[in-house]
Each structure stands twice: as structure tokens, then as C-alpha cells.
């Protein structure tokens, strides 16, 4: 859903413009968090199981339904 191209920037896609826009916001927030975490030490990235657990949360399902309705 997102591609970060070295020396060029980022590109996100979605079912509609709103979804692509919100994915870009999430990508930018993630990049900010990663840069901040590296400034204080070595970050720990989520495992596949942790990512799956987050994706199955009711709040995530609700967020995705909001994006689809737009």
C-alpha cells in the first residue's frame, strides 16, 4: 500500500483518494516515530503475530470501515 523511494519520496495507494491520503499520514507518522526511536537507541519492531493482532482489533476494523465509506 506504500512505497518509499530513496531520494524521491513516498507513494501510497488506496481504494480512493481519502484512503491513499490517510495511508500517507500513517506512513509519515511511522517515519517520525522510527527516527525518534533511533535517536534514543535500537528500536524493537513488531513481529508478524503482533501486526496481525493489531489488524484484528475492533478499533482497526472500525477505522478501515470509515475509510471505505468516504
Amino acid at each position: 500500500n506504500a512505497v518509499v523511494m530513496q531520494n524521491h519520496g513516498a507513494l501510497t495507494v488506496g481504494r480512493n483518494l481519502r484512503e491513499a491520503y490517510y495511508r500517507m499520514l500513517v506512513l509519515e507518522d511511522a517515519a517520525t516515530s522510527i527516527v525518534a526511536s533511533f535517536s534514543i537507541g535500537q528500536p524493537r519492531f513488531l513481529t508478524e503475530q503482533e501486526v496481525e493482532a493489531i489488524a484484528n482489533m475492533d478499533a482497526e476494523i472500525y477505522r478501515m470501515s470509515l475509510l471505505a465509506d468516504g
Side-chain angles (χ1 to χ4, degrees):
N1 299 325
V3 176
V4 179
M5 301 171 287
Q6 185 174 351
N7 299 324
H8 294 286
L11 173 71
T12 57
V13 296
R15 291 176 289 212
N16 53 47
L17 184 59
R18 175 181 284 180
E19 187 175 70
Y21 172 74
Y22 283 116
R23 285 181 175 166
M24 182 61 73
L25 292 179
V26 170
L27 178 63
E28 290 173 351
D29 284 345
T32 300
S33 297
I34 290 171
V35 169
S37 67
F38 272 111
S39 71
I40 60 172
Q42 182 66 31
R44 184 186 79 78
F45 293 97
L46 299 176
T47 65
E48 289 294 324
Q49 293 82 14
E50 291 169 327
V51 171
E52 186 67 27
I54 291 170
N56 290 327
M57 292 175 64
D58 289 338
E60 178 65 11
I61 293 167
Y62 175 71
R63 184 186 72 79
M64 290 304 295
S65 72
L66 289 177
L67 291 174
D69 291 340

